[in-house]
Every structure is written in C-alpha cells, then in structure tokens.
Short mmCIF file of all heavy atoms in Angstrom, two decimals:
data_model
loop_
_atom_site.label_atom_id
_atom_site.label_comp_id
_atom_site.label_asym_id
_atom_site.label_seq_id
_atom_site.Cartn_x
_atom_site.Cartn_y
_atom_site.Cartn_z
N MET Y 1 15.27 -5.03 13.37
CA MET Y 1 14.01 -4.69 13.98
C MET Y 1 13.45 -3.46 13.28
O MET Y 1 14.14 -2.49 13.07
CB MET Y 1 14.22 -4.41 15.46
CG MET Y 1 12.95 -4.02 16.16
SD MET Y 1 13.22 -3.58 17.87
CE MET Y 1 12.88 -5.13 18.60
N GLY Y 2 12.17 -3.52 12.89
CA GLY Y 2 11.54 -2.42 12.17
C GLY Y 2 10.93 -1.40 13.12
O GLY Y 2 10.84 -1.60 14.32
N TRP Y 3 10.52 -0.30 12.56
CA TRP Y 3 9.91 0.75 13.35
C TRP Y 3 8.39 0.72 13.15
O TRP Y 3 7.90 0.25 12.15
CB TRP Y 3 10.49 2.11 12.99
CG TRP Y 3 10.26 2.52 11.58
CD1 TRP Y 3 10.98 2.13 10.50
CD2 TRP Y 3 9.23 3.37 11.10
NE1 TRP Y 3 10.48 2.70 9.37
CE2 TRP Y 3 9.40 3.47 9.70
CE3 TRP Y 3 8.19 4.06 11.68
CZ2 TRP Y 3 8.56 4.23 8.91
CZ3 TRP Y 3 7.36 4.82 10.89
CH2 TRP Y 3 7.55 4.89 9.53
N HIS Y 4 7.66 1.22 14.13
CA HIS Y 4 6.21 1.19 14.10
C HIS Y 4 5.67 2.58 14.43
O HIS Y 4 6.26 3.31 15.22
CB HIS Y 4 5.65 0.21 15.12
CG HIS Y 4 6.12 -1.18 14.91
ND1 HIS Y 4 5.55 -2.02 13.99
CD2 HIS Y 4 7.13 -1.88 15.48
CE1 HIS Y 4 6.18 -3.17 14.02
NE2 HIS Y 4 7.14 -3.11 14.92
N TYR Y 5 4.55 2.91 13.80
CA TYR Y 5 3.86 4.16 14.12
C TYR Y 5 2.37 3.90 14.02
O TYR Y 5 1.89 3.26 13.07
CB TYR Y 5 4.25 5.27 13.15
CG TYR Y 5 3.47 6.54 13.41
CD1 TYR Y 5 3.80 7.36 14.48
CD2 TYR Y 5 2.40 6.90 12.61
CE1 TYR Y 5 3.08 8.51 14.74
CE2 TYR Y 5 1.68 8.05 12.87
CZ TYR Y 5 2.02 8.85 13.93
OH TYR Y 5 1.31 9.97 14.20
N ARG Y 6 1.63 4.38 14.99
CA ARG Y 6 0.19 4.22 14.95
C ARG Y 6 -0.46 5.36 15.72
O ARG Y 6 -0.09 5.66 16.84
CB ARG Y 6 -0.18 2.90 15.60
CG ARG Y 6 -1.63 2.55 15.45
CD ARG Y 6 -1.83 1.16 15.98
NE ARG Y 6 -3.16 0.72 15.64
CZ ARG Y 6 -3.61 -0.48 15.86
NH1 ARG Y 6 -2.82 -1.36 16.41
NH2 ARG Y 6 -4.82 -0.80 15.53
N LYS Y 7 -1.42 6.01 15.08
CA LYS Y 7 -2.13 7.13 15.70
C LYS Y 7 -3.58 7.06 15.24
O LYS Y 7 -3.86 6.79 14.08
CB LYS Y 7 -1.51 8.46 15.26
CG LYS Y 7 -2.22 9.68 15.76
CD LYS Y 7 -2.07 9.87 17.24
CE LYS Y 7 -2.76 11.14 17.69
NZ LYS Y 7 -2.83 11.27 19.10
N SER Y 8 -4.51 7.27 16.16
CA SER Y 8 -5.92 7.21 15.86
C SER Y 8 -6.56 8.53 16.26
O SER Y 8 -6.34 9.03 17.37
CB SER Y 8 -6.55 6.06 16.62
OG SER Y 8 -7.92 5.97 16.33
N ILE Y 9 -7.37 9.10 15.36
CA ILE Y 9 -8.07 10.36 15.62
C ILE Y 9 -9.56 10.08 15.53
O ILE Y 9 -10.04 9.62 14.49
CB ILE Y 9 -7.66 11.43 14.59
CG1 ILE Y 9 -6.16 11.67 14.63
CG2 ILE Y 9 -8.42 12.71 14.85
CD1 ILE Y 9 -5.64 12.47 13.47
N LYS Y 10 -10.28 10.33 16.60
CA LYS Y 10 -11.71 10.05 16.63
C LYS Y 10 -12.50 11.33 16.43
O LYS Y 10 -12.27 12.32 17.11
CB LYS Y 10 -12.08 9.39 17.95
CG LYS Y 10 -13.48 8.86 17.97
CD LYS Y 10 -13.74 8.02 19.19
CE LYS Y 10 -15.16 7.51 19.13
NZ LYS Y 10 -15.50 6.72 20.29
N VAL Y 11 -13.46 11.29 15.49
CA VAL Y 11 -14.33 12.42 15.19
C VAL Y 11 -15.75 11.88 15.14
O VAL Y 11 -16.19 11.38 14.12
CB VAL Y 11 -13.95 13.08 13.85
CG1 VAL Y 11 -14.84 14.27 13.58
CG2 VAL Y 11 -12.49 13.46 13.82
N GLY Y 12 -16.46 11.94 16.26
CA GLY Y 12 -17.81 11.38 16.33
C GLY Y 12 -17.76 9.88 16.12
O GLY Y 12 -16.96 9.19 16.74
N PRO Y 13 -18.63 9.34 15.23
CA PRO Y 13 -18.61 7.90 14.98
C PRO Y 13 -17.49 7.47 14.02
O PRO Y 13 -17.30 6.29 13.77
CB PRO Y 13 -19.98 7.62 14.37
CG PRO Y 13 -20.33 8.90 13.70
CD PRO Y 13 -19.74 10.00 14.57
N PHE Y 14 -16.75 8.44 13.48
CA PHE Y 14 -15.66 8.14 12.54
C PHE Y 14 -14.34 8.07 13.26
O PHE Y 14 -14.11 8.77 14.25
CB PHE Y 14 -15.56 9.24 11.46
CG PHE Y 14 -16.75 9.32 10.58
CD1 PHE Y 14 -17.71 10.27 10.80
CD2 PHE Y 14 -16.91 8.43 9.53
CE1 PHE Y 14 -18.83 10.36 10.00
CE2 PHE Y 14 -18.02 8.51 8.72
CZ PHE Y 14 -18.99 9.48 8.95
N ARG Y 15 -13.45 7.24 12.77
CA ARG Y 15 -12.10 7.15 13.33
C ARG Y 15 -11.12 7.09 12.15
O ARG Y 15 -11.30 6.31 11.22
CB ARG Y 15 -11.96 5.92 14.19
CG ARG Y 15 -10.59 5.80 14.79
CD ARG Y 15 -10.53 4.67 15.76
NE ARG Y 15 -11.35 5.05 16.92
CZ ARG Y 15 -11.54 4.28 17.97
NH1 ARG Y 15 -10.98 3.12 18.04
NH2 ARG Y 15 -12.27 4.70 18.97
N ILE Y 16 -10.12 7.94 12.18
CA ILE Y 16 -9.06 7.96 11.16
C ILE Y 16 -7.83 7.34 11.80
O ILE Y 16 -7.39 7.76 12.86
CB ILE Y 16 -8.78 9.39 10.68
CG1 ILE Y 16 -10.04 9.98 10.08
CG2 ILE Y 16 -7.63 9.39 9.68
CD1 ILE Y 16 -9.96 11.46 9.82
N ASN Y 17 -7.30 6.32 11.15
CA ASN Y 17 -6.17 5.57 11.68
C ASN Y 17 -4.94 5.83 10.82
O ASN Y 17 -4.94 5.57 9.62
CB ASN Y 17 -6.48 4.08 11.69
CG ASN Y 17 -7.77 3.78 12.43
OD1 ASN Y 17 -7.90 4.13 13.58
ND2 ASN Y 17 -8.70 3.16 11.75
N LEU Y 18 -3.91 6.38 11.43
CA LEU Y 18 -2.66 6.66 10.73
C LEU Y 18 -1.62 5.64 11.17
O LEU Y 18 -1.45 5.38 12.36
CB LEU Y 18 -2.16 8.06 11.08
CG LEU Y 18 -3.17 9.19 10.89
CD1 LEU Y 18 -2.64 10.45 11.51
CD2 LEU Y 18 -3.44 9.38 9.42
N SER Y 19 -0.92 5.06 10.21
CA SER Y 19 0.13 4.10 10.54
C SER Y 19 1.25 4.22 9.52
O SER Y 19 1.16 4.98 8.55
CB SER Y 19 -0.42 2.68 10.54
OG SER Y 19 -0.66 2.22 9.23
N ARG Y 20 2.26 3.44 9.73
CA ARG Y 20 3.39 3.42 8.81
C ARG Y 20 2.97 2.94 7.43
O ARG Y 20 3.55 3.32 6.41
CB ARG Y 20 4.45 2.49 9.41
CG ARG Y 20 5.64 2.28 8.57
CD ARG Y 20 6.67 1.49 9.34
NE ARG Y 20 6.37 0.09 9.41
CZ ARG Y 20 7.06 -0.85 8.78
NH1 ARG Y 20 8.09 -0.52 8.06
NH2 ARG Y 20 6.74 -2.10 8.90
N HIS Y 21 1.91 2.13 7.36
CA HIS Y 21 1.46 1.57 6.09
C HIS Y 21 0.52 2.49 5.33
O HIS Y 21 0.24 2.24 4.15
CB HIS Y 21 0.76 0.24 6.34
CG HIS Y 21 1.65 -0.76 6.99
ND1 HIS Y 21 2.68 -1.37 6.32
CD2 HIS Y 21 1.69 -1.23 8.25
CE1 HIS Y 21 3.30 -2.19 7.14
NE2 HIS Y 21 2.71 -2.12 8.32
N GLY Y 22 -0.01 3.53 5.98
CA GLY Y 22 -0.91 4.45 5.29
C GLY Y 22 -2.04 4.91 6.19
O GLY Y 22 -1.96 4.83 7.41
N VAL Y 23 -3.11 5.36 5.55
CA VAL Y 23 -4.26 5.91 6.27
C VAL Y 23 -5.45 4.98 6.07
O VAL Y 23 -5.78 4.61 4.95
CB VAL Y 23 -4.61 7.32 5.76
CG1 VAL Y 23 -5.83 7.87 6.47
CG2 VAL Y 23 -3.43 8.24 5.93
N GLY Y 24 -6.10 4.63 7.16
CA GLY Y 24 -7.32 3.85 7.11
C GLY Y 24 -8.41 4.60 7.85
O GLY Y 24 -8.15 5.61 8.51
N HIS Y 25 -9.63 4.13 7.74
CA HIS Y 25 -10.71 4.78 8.47
C HIS Y 25 -11.75 3.74 8.86
O HIS Y 25 -11.84 2.67 8.27
CB HIS Y 25 -11.33 5.92 7.66
CG HIS Y 25 -11.91 5.48 6.37
ND1 HIS Y 25 -11.15 5.29 5.24
CD2 HIS Y 25 -13.18 5.17 6.01
CE1 HIS Y 25 -11.93 4.90 4.25
NE2 HIS Y 25 -13.16 4.82 4.69
N SER Y 26 -12.53 4.08 9.88
CA SER Y 26 -13.58 3.18 10.34
C SER Y 26 -14.79 4.01 10.76
O SER Y 26 -14.69 5.19 11.06
CB SER Y 26 -13.09 2.30 11.48
OG SER Y 26 -12.69 3.06 12.56
N PHE Y 27 -15.93 3.32 10.76
CA PHE Y 27 -17.19 3.95 11.11
C PHE Y 27 -18.03 2.94 11.88
O PHE Y 27 -18.06 1.77 11.52
CB PHE Y 27 -17.94 4.37 9.83
CG PHE Y 27 -19.33 4.86 10.10
CD1 PHE Y 27 -19.53 6.14 10.55
CD2 PHE Y 27 -20.42 4.03 9.90
CE1 PHE Y 27 -20.81 6.60 10.81
CE2 PHE Y 27 -21.70 4.48 10.15
CZ PHE Y 27 -21.90 5.77 10.60
N GLY Y 28 -18.68 3.39 12.93
CA GLY Y 28 -19.57 2.51 13.66
C GLY Y 28 -19.56 2.77 15.14
O GLY Y 28 -19.12 3.81 15.60
N ASN Y 29 -20.07 1.77 15.87
CA ASN Y 29 -20.13 1.87 17.31
C ASN Y 29 -19.61 0.58 17.92
O ASN Y 29 -18.95 -0.20 17.24
CB ASN Y 29 -21.57 2.18 17.77
CG ASN Y 29 -22.56 1.15 17.27
OD1 ASN Y 29 -22.21 0.01 17.02
ND2 ASN Y 29 -23.79 1.56 17.11
N ARG Y 30 -19.92 0.33 19.19
CA ARG Y 30 -19.40 -0.86 19.87
C ARG Y 30 -19.94 -2.16 19.27
O ARG Y 30 -19.26 -3.17 19.25
CB ARG Y 30 -19.80 -0.84 21.34
CG ARG Y 30 -19.03 0.11 22.15
CD ARG Y 30 -19.47 0.12 23.58
NE ARG Y 30 -20.39 -0.97 23.91
CZ ARG Y 30 -20.72 -1.30 25.12
NH1 ARG Y 30 -20.24 -0.64 26.14
NH2 ARG Y 30 -21.56 -2.28 25.34
N ARG Y 31 -21.16 -2.16 18.78
CA ARG Y 31 -21.80 -3.39 18.27
C ARG Y 31 -21.52 -3.66 16.79
O ARG Y 31 -21.45 -4.79 16.38
CB ARG Y 31 -23.31 -3.31 18.47
CG ARG Y 31 -23.72 -3.22 19.89
CD ARG Y 31 -23.63 -4.56 20.54
NE ARG Y 31 -24.05 -4.45 21.94
CZ ARG Y 31 -23.62 -5.25 22.88
NH1 ARG Y 31 -22.76 -6.19 22.59
NH2 ARG Y 31 -24.02 -5.10 24.10
N PHE Y 32 -21.43 -2.62 15.97
CA PHE Y 32 -21.26 -2.79 14.52
C PHE Y 32 -20.22 -1.81 14.02
O PHE Y 32 -20.29 -0.62 14.32
CB PHE Y 32 -22.60 -2.53 13.82
CG PHE Y 32 -22.52 -2.64 12.33
CD1 PHE Y 32 -22.48 -3.88 11.72
CD2 PHE Y 32 -22.45 -1.52 11.55
CE1 PHE Y 32 -22.40 -3.98 10.34
CE2 PHE Y 32 -22.37 -1.61 10.18
CZ PHE Y 32 -22.35 -2.85 9.57
N ARG Y 33 -19.25 -2.28 13.27
CA ARG Y 33 -18.18 -1.42 12.78
C ARG Y 33 -17.75 -1.85 11.38
O ARG Y 33 -17.63 -3.04 11.09
CB ARG Y 33 -16.99 -1.48 13.73
CG ARG Y 33 -15.84 -0.57 13.30
CD ARG Y 33 -14.85 -0.36 14.40
NE ARG Y 33 -15.42 0.31 15.56
CZ ARG Y 33 -15.57 1.63 15.66
NH1 ARG Y 33 -15.18 2.42 14.69
NH2 ARG Y 33 -16.07 2.16 16.75
N VAL Y 34 -17.50 -0.87 10.52
CA VAL Y 34 -16.96 -1.09 9.18
C VAL Y 34 -15.61 -0.38 9.12
O VAL Y 34 -15.53 0.82 9.39
CB VAL Y 34 -17.89 -0.54 8.08
CG1 VAL Y 34 -17.27 -0.73 6.71
CG2 VAL Y 34 -19.25 -1.20 8.15
N THR Y 35 -14.56 -1.12 8.77
CA THR Y 35 -13.21 -0.58 8.75
C THR Y 35 -12.62 -0.75 7.36
O THR Y 35 -12.75 -1.81 6.75
CB THR Y 35 -12.32 -1.33 9.77
OG1 THR Y 35 -12.92 -1.23 11.05
CG2 THR Y 35 -10.93 -0.75 9.79
N THR Y 36 -11.97 0.29 6.86
CA THR Y 36 -11.22 0.21 5.61
C THR Y 36 -9.76 0.47 5.93
O THR Y 36 -9.41 1.50 6.50
CB THR Y 36 -11.72 1.25 4.59
OG1 THR Y 36 -13.11 1.06 4.37
CG2 THR Y 36 -10.98 1.11 3.28
N GLY Y 37 -8.91 -0.49 5.59
CA GLY Y 37 -7.49 -0.37 5.89
C GLY Y 37 -6.74 0.37 4.81
O GLY Y 37 -7.29 0.70 3.75
N PRO Y 38 -5.46 0.63 5.01
CA PRO Y 38 -4.65 1.36 4.04
C PRO Y 38 -4.51 0.62 2.70
O PRO Y 38 -4.29 1.24 1.68
CB PRO Y 38 -3.29 1.49 4.70
CG PRO Y 38 -3.46 1.12 6.11
CD PRO Y 38 -4.72 0.36 6.23
N ASP Y 39 -4.68 -0.70 2.72
CA ASP Y 39 -4.55 -1.47 1.48
C ASP Y 39 -5.87 -1.59 0.72
O ASP Y 39 -5.93 -2.22 -0.32
CB ASP Y 39 -3.97 -2.85 1.76
CG ASP Y 39 -4.81 -3.66 2.71
OD1 ASP Y 39 -5.87 -3.16 3.14
OD2 ASP Y 39 -4.42 -4.79 3.03
N GLY Y 40 -6.97 -1.00 1.24
CA GLY Y 40 -8.23 -0.98 0.53
C GLY Y 40 -9.21 -2.07 0.93
O GLY Y 40 -10.36 -2.06 0.49
N ARG Y 41 -8.80 -3.01 1.76
CA ARG Y 41 -9.71 -4.07 2.18
C ARG Y 41 -10.68 -3.53 3.22
O ARG Y 41 -10.32 -2.70 4.05
CB ARG Y 41 -8.94 -5.24 2.78
CG ARG Y 41 -8.22 -6.03 1.73
CD ARG Y 41 -7.61 -7.25 2.34
NE ARG Y 41 -6.50 -6.84 3.19
CZ ARG Y 41 -5.71 -7.68 3.83
NH1 ARG Y 41 -5.92 -8.97 3.74
NH2 ARG Y 41 -4.72 -7.24 4.56
N ARG Y 42 -11.91 -4.03 3.18
CA ARG Y 42 -12.92 -3.64 4.17
C ARG Y 42 -13.20 -4.81 5.09
O ARG Y 42 -13.24 -5.95 4.67
CB ARG Y 42 -14.22 -3.25 3.47
CG ARG Y 42 -14.12 -1.92 2.83
CD ARG Y 42 -15.48 -1.30 2.66
NE ARG Y 42 -15.30 0.05 2.19
CZ ARG Y 42 -15.85 0.52 1.10
NH1 ARG Y 42 -16.63 -0.22 0.38
NH2 ARG Y 42 -15.61 1.76 0.73
N HIS Y 43 -13.38 -4.49 6.35
CA HIS Y 43 -13.70 -5.50 7.35
C HIS Y 43 -14.96 -5.05 8.07
O HIS Y 43 -15.03 -3.92 8.57
CB HIS Y 43 -12.55 -5.66 8.35
CG HIS Y 43 -12.77 -6.74 9.33
ND1 HIS Y 43 -12.53 -8.06 9.04
CD2 HIS Y 43 -13.23 -6.71 10.60
CE1 HIS Y 43 -12.82 -8.79 10.10
NE2 HIS Y 43 -13.25 -7.98 11.06
N VAL Y 44 -15.96 -5.93 8.09
CA VAL Y 44 -17.21 -5.65 8.78
C VAL Y 44 -17.25 -6.55 10.01
O VAL Y 44 -17.00 -7.75 9.91
CB VAL Y 44 -18.42 -5.96 7.87
CG1 VAL Y 44 -19.73 -5.74 8.61
CG2 VAL Y 44 -18.37 -5.12 6.62
N SER Y 45 -17.52 -5.97 11.17
CA SER Y 45 -17.57 -6.77 12.39
C SER Y 45 -18.81 -6.44 13.20
O SER Y 45 -19.26 -5.29 13.24
CB SER Y 45 -16.32 -6.56 13.23
OG SER Y 45 -16.19 -5.23 13.61
N VAL Y 46 -19.36 -7.48 13.83
CA VAL Y 46 -20.53 -7.35 14.68
C VAL Y 46 -20.19 -8.01 16.01
O VAL Y 46 -19.74 -9.16 16.03
CB VAL Y 46 -21.77 -8.04 14.05
CG1 VAL Y 46 -22.96 -7.95 14.97
CG2 VAL Y 46 -22.08 -7.45 12.70
N HIS Y 47 -20.38 -7.29 17.09
CA HIS Y 47 -20.15 -7.81 18.44
C HIS Y 47 -21.51 -8.06 19.08
O HIS Y 47 -22.32 -7.14 19.20
CB HIS Y 47 -19.36 -6.81 19.28
CG HIS Y 47 -17.96 -6.62 18.78
ND1 HIS Y 47 -16.91 -7.34 19.28
CD2 HIS Y 47 -17.46 -5.83 17.81
CE1 HIS Y 47 -15.81 -6.98 18.65
NE2 HIS Y 47 -16.12 -6.06 17.75
N LEU Y 48 -21.74 -9.29 19.46
CA LEU Y 48 -23.02 -9.69 20.04
C LEU Y 48 -22.90 -9.84 21.56
O LEU Y 48 -21.79 -10.06 22.07
CB LEU Y 48 -23.47 -11.01 19.42
CG LEU Y 48 -23.61 -11.01 17.90
CD1 LEU Y 48 -23.88 -12.40 17.40
CD2 LEU Y 48 -24.70 -10.06 17.48
N PRO Y 49 -24.01 -9.75 22.27
CA PRO Y 49 -23.98 -9.95 23.72
C PRO Y 49 -23.45 -11.35 24.07
O PRO Y 49 -23.64 -12.30 23.31
CB PRO Y 49 -25.44 -9.81 24.14
CG PRO Y 49 -26.08 -9.01 23.06
CD PRO Y 49 -25.35 -9.37 21.81
N GLY Y 50 -22.78 -11.46 25.18
CA GLY Y 50 -22.24 -12.74 25.61
C GLY Y 50 -20.82 -12.98 25.12
O GLY Y 50 -20.29 -14.07 25.27
N GLY Y 51 -20.21 -11.98 24.49
CA GLY Y 51 -18.82 -12.12 24.05
C GLY Y 51 -18.65 -12.69 22.66
O GLY Y 51 -17.54 -13.01 22.25
N PHE Y 52 -19.72 -12.85 21.90
CA PHE Y 52 -19.61 -13.38 20.54
C PHE Y 52 -19.21 -12.28 19.58
O PHE Y 52 -19.63 -11.14 19.70
CB PHE Y 52 -20.94 -14.00 20.10
CG PHE Y 52 -21.30 -15.23 20.87
CD1 PHE Y 52 -22.24 -15.16 21.88
CD2 PHE Y 52 -20.68 -16.44 20.60
CE1 PHE Y 52 -22.58 -16.28 22.61
CE2 PHE Y 52 -21.01 -17.57 21.33
CZ PHE Y 52 -21.96 -17.49 22.33
N HIS Y 53 -18.41 -12.65 18.60
CA HIS Y 53 -17.90 -11.69 17.61
C HIS Y 53 -17.94 -12.35 16.24
O HIS Y 53 -17.49 -13.48 16.08
CB HIS Y 53 -16.47 -11.29 17.97
CG HIS Y 53 -15.81 -10.47 16.92
ND1 HIS Y 53 -14.93 -10.99 16.01
CD2 HIS Y 53 -15.90 -9.15 16.63
CE1 HIS Y 53 -14.51 -10.03 15.21
NE2 HIS Y 53 -15.09 -8.91 15.58
N ILE Y 54 -18.51 -11.65 15.28
CA ILE Y 54 -18.54 -12.13 13.90
C ILE Y 54 -17.86 -11.08 13.04
O ILE Y 54 -18.16 -9.89 13.14
CB ILE Y 54 -19.99 -12.33 13.41
CG1 ILE Y 54 -20.71 -13.35 14.29
CG2 ILE Y 54 -20.01 -12.74 11.96
CD1 ILE Y 54 -22.20 -13.42 14.04
N GLY Y 55 -16.92 -11.50 12.20
CA GLY Y 55 -16.21 -10.57 11.33
C GLY Y 55 -16.02 -11.14 9.95
O GLY Y 55 -15.90 -12.35 9.78
N LYS Y 56 -16.02 -10.29 8.96
CA LYS Y 56 -15.85 -10.71 7.57
C LYS Y 56 -15.02 -9.66 6.84
O LYS Y 56 -15.30 -8.47 6.92
CB LYS Y 56 -17.22 -10.85 6.91
CG LYS Y 56 -17.19 -11.17 5.46
CD LYS Y 56 -16.86 -12.62 5.24
CE LYS Y 56 -16.95 -12.94 3.75
NZ LYS Y 56 -16.45 -14.22 3.42
N THR Y 57 -13.98 -10.11 6.16
CA THR Y 57 -13.17 -9.22 5.33
C THR Y 57 -13.68 -9.28 3.90
O THR Y 57 -13.85 -10.36 3.36
CB THR Y 57 -11.69 -9.62 5.39
OG1 THR Y 57 -11.26 -9.55 6.76
CG2 THR Y 57 -10.84 -8.68 4.56
N LEU Y 58 -13.91 -8.12 3.31
CA LEU Y 58 -14.44 -8.03 1.95
C LEU Y 58 -13.38 -7.44 1.03
O LEU Y 58 -12.65 -6.54 1.41
CB LEU Y 58 -15.67 -7.12 1.94
CG LEU Y 58 -16.76 -7.47 2.93
CD1 LEU Y 58 -17.81 -6.38 2.96
CD2 LEU Y 58 -17.38 -8.80 2.58
N GLY Y 59 -13.33 -7.93 -0.19
CA GLY Y 59 -12.40 -7.39 -1.18
C GLY Y 59 -11.01 -7.96 -1.04
O GLY Y 59 -10.73 -8.82 -0.22
N SER Y 60 -10.14 -7.46 -1.88
CA SER Y 60 -8.75 -7.90 -1.86
C SER Y 60 -7.85 -6.67 -1.82
O SER Y 60 -8.30 -5.55 -1.96
CB SER Y 60 -8.43 -8.74 -3.08
OG SER Y 60 -8.65 -7.99 -4.25
N ARG Y 61 -6.58 -6.90 -1.65
CA ARG Y 61 -5.63 -5.79 -1.59
C ARG Y 61 -5.54 -5.08 -2.93
O ARG Y 61 -5.61 -5.69 -3.98
CB ARG Y 61 -4.24 -6.30 -1.23
CG ARG Y 61 -4.15 -6.88 0.12
CD ARG Y 61 -2.74 -7.29 0.36
NE ARG Y 61 -2.63 -8.00 1.62
CZ ARG Y 61 -1.48 -8.28 2.19
NH1 ARG Y 61 -0.36 -7.95 1.62
NH2 ARG Y 61 -1.45 -8.92 3.32
N ARG Y 62 -5.34 -3.79 -2.87
CA ARG Y 62 -5.14 -3.00 -4.11
C ARG Y 62 -3.72 -3.11 -4.60
O ARG Y 62 -3.47 -2.97 -5.77
CB ARG Y 62 -5.47 -1.54 -3.84
CG ARG Y 62 -6.95 -1.26 -3.89
CD ARG Y 62 -7.16 0.22 -3.94
NE ARG Y 62 -7.74 0.61 -2.65
CZ ARG Y 62 -7.87 1.85 -2.27
NH1 ARG Y 62 -7.46 2.82 -3.02
NH2 ARG Y 62 -8.38 2.12 -1.10
N TYR Y 63 -2.81 -3.35 -3.70
CA TYR Y 63 -1.41 -3.46 -4.07
C TYR Y 63 -0.74 -4.42 -3.10
O TYR Y 63 -1.28 -4.74 -2.05
CB TYR Y 63 -0.73 -2.10 -4.05
CG TYR Y 63 -0.90 -1.36 -2.76
CD1 TYR Y 63 -0.04 -1.59 -1.69
CD2 TYR Y 63 -1.93 -0.44 -2.59
CE1 TYR Y 63 -0.22 -0.94 -0.49
CE2 TYR Y 63 -2.11 0.21 -1.38
CZ TYR Y 63 -1.23 -0.03 -0.35
OH TYR Y 63 -1.39 0.60 0.85
N HIS Y 64 0.44 -4.87 -3.43
CA HIS Y 64 1.16 -5.80 -2.58
C HIS Y 64 2.51 -5.21 -2.23
O HIS Y 64 3.21 -4.72 -3.12
CB HIS Y 64 1.34 -7.13 -3.32
CG HIS Y 64 2.03 -8.17 -2.48
ND1 HIS Y 64 1.38 -8.78 -1.44
CD2 HIS Y 64 3.25 -8.70 -2.54
CE1 HIS Y 64 2.20 -9.65 -0.87
NE2 HIS Y 64 3.35 -9.61 -1.53
N ARG Y 65 2.87 -5.25 -0.97
CA ARG Y 65 4.15 -4.72 -0.53
C ARG Y 65 5.08 -5.84 -0.13
O ARG Y 65 4.65 -6.83 0.42
CB ARG Y 65 3.98 -3.81 0.67
CG ARG Y 65 3.26 -2.54 0.36
CD ARG Y 65 3.27 -1.68 1.59
NE ARG Y 65 2.65 -0.40 1.28
CZ ARG Y 65 2.72 0.65 2.05
NH1 ARG Y 65 3.36 0.58 3.17
NH2 ARG Y 65 2.14 1.76 1.72
N HIS Y 66 6.34 -5.65 -0.40
CA HIS Y 66 7.37 -6.58 0.07
C HIS Y 66 8.21 -5.87 1.10
O HIS Y 66 8.71 -4.78 0.87
CB HIS Y 66 8.26 -7.03 -1.10
CG HIS Y 66 7.52 -7.83 -2.11
ND1 HIS Y 66 7.24 -9.16 -1.93
CD2 HIS Y 66 6.99 -7.51 -3.31
CE1 HIS Y 66 6.58 -9.61 -2.97
NE2 HIS Y 66 6.41 -8.62 -3.83
N TYR Y 67 8.39 -6.50 2.25
CA TYR Y 67 9.18 -5.88 3.33
C TYR Y 67 10.46 -6.64 3.52
O TYR Y 67 10.56 -7.79 3.44
CB TYR Y 67 8.40 -5.86 4.64
CG TYR Y 67 7.19 -4.97 4.55
CD1 TYR Y 67 5.93 -5.49 4.44
CD2 TYR Y 67 7.35 -3.59 4.56
CE1 TYR Y 67 4.82 -4.66 4.37
CE2 TYR Y 67 6.26 -2.76 4.49
CZ TYR Y 67 5.00 -3.30 4.38
OH TYR Y 67 3.93 -2.48 4.31
#
C-alpha cells in the first residue's frame, strides 16, 4: 500500500496544489477553471447551470513515471 499526501493553498482566485507527485496550480471560479497538474498537462473545465460539466485536457505529459 502506497502513501498519499495532498494539500491545497488558496490565494484569491489562485490555488496551489501540493501532492506526492509535485506541485500544480489552478485559476478560476465555480463556473470556469484552468488547472495545470504536476506533469504539465492543462485541464480546462466549464460548469453550466443544471449540473452540466464540460472538460478538456490539453497537451501531453512532460515526463512519464513508473510506480
């Protein structure tokens, strides 16, 4: 069984996400958010009224890890 770590620090509309895999960050609000993960991929998500959610991942990983 592996170990997990996750911590999020919010500074205004910015959020810094710390995890075992590295540091990621996100920007936005409840309706629109852009997130960059520790591997460099970006995810854009839009939350619409009525519970609809649209998301798209852009780019590819900068590196590959084997666990």
Side-chain angles (χ1 to χ4, degrees):
M1 179 184 266
W3 62 278
H4 301 278
Y5 176 76
R6 188 173 190 174
K7 176 70 178 171
S8 181
I9 302 168
K10 190 171 181 181
V11 181
F14 295 100
R15 181 173 291 180
I16 300 169
N17 306 303
L18 307 169
S19 74
R20 176 173 77 110
H21 300 288
V23 178
H25 60 278
S26 60
F27 172 80
N29 56 27
R30 285 179 10 168
R31 298 282 181 208
F32 178 78
R33 182 165 297 277
V34 177
T35 304
T36 303
D39 59 1
R41 287 186 290 183
R42 285 203 173 125
H43 184 81
V44 177
S45 61
V46 178
H47 294 266
L48 303 173
F52 293 102
H53 172 260
I54 300 170
K56 176 76 176 170
T57 300
L58 307 171
S60 60
R61 295 182 186 192
R62 279 193 250 169
Y63 53 85
H64 183 72
R65 292 185 177 193
H66 294 281
Y67 294 105

